[in-house]
Structures are given as C-alpha cells and as structure tokens.
Amino acid sequence: ETLCGFDVDDVFAYQTGKQVRIRDRRLGCVYICAVFAVVLYIGVYTLAYNLAYLDFHAPTGTARLKLQQPVVDGCDPDGPNCYDAFPATA
C-alpha cells in the first residue's frame, strides 16, 4: 500500500535498540552500585542537603508596624475629633 506515493511501511517505520542481558555478578554489582551512587548523590546530596531545587534570595524592603489605641468608628487617632473607645472595666 502507498500513501502519497510512499510505502506506508516506510512512512511509519521506527528503530528500536536491542536489549542484552549481562549475566556476570561482578559487572552486575558494579552497575547496581553505580546506579545507587547516582540516586544517592541526586536524591540526598543535591536535593536534600544542598537544596539545589530552591532559588534563595535575600529579602528586600521594609516593614512598618503601628500600634494604636481603639478608637470610635475607626477614625485617625491623631485627629482632633477622634475619641478613644476603650472597653468599660468593672
């Protein structure tokens, strides 16, 4: 069969890699130790110890805090017509 003059099998063809099973205990141990070392380095040292996934910045700006007495109707306590609204005590 063809599609626009091209063989359909050639249009949808793809390549795969061969898989080989290595049966050697020494090489298998080296492989597993290397994979474990890479996972340990990335997972523990880079992510947990160095926090490499975070981007740290020094905070900038200022903070302002003003404490004031309770006032009637939320007026400006520095204004001349503003009265205190302290609760009555018994």
Side-chain angles (χ1 to χ4, degrees):
E1 295 179 45
T2 61
L3 178 67
C4 297
F6 296 102
D7 185 15
V8 176
D9 290 330
D10 289 334
V11 171
F12 294 107
Y14 61 95
Q15 294 182 357
T16 62
K18 290 183 180 181
Q19 293 203 0
V20 177
R21 183 173 180 88
I22 306 292
R23 295 185 62 219
D24 182 51
R25 69 178 71 101
R26 292 177 302 248
L27 192 57
C29 185
V30 168
Y31 171 75
I32 289 176
C33 289
V35 169
F36 182 72
V38 168
V39 169
L40 195 66
Y41 172 75
I42 292 172
V44 174
Y45 180 73
T46 304
L47 296 179
Y49 182 69
N50 281 343
L51 302 175
Y53 60 96
L54 297 175
D55 191 16
F56 291 100
H57 294 284
T60 58
T62 58
R64 181 178 157 200
L65 176 67
K66 181 178 180 182
L67 298 176
Q68 63 186 37
Q69 72 271 18
V71 293
V72 176
D73 294 330
C75 62
D76 181 14
D78 296 329
N81 296 329
C82 189
Y83 300 102
D84 292 335
F86 288 109
T89 58

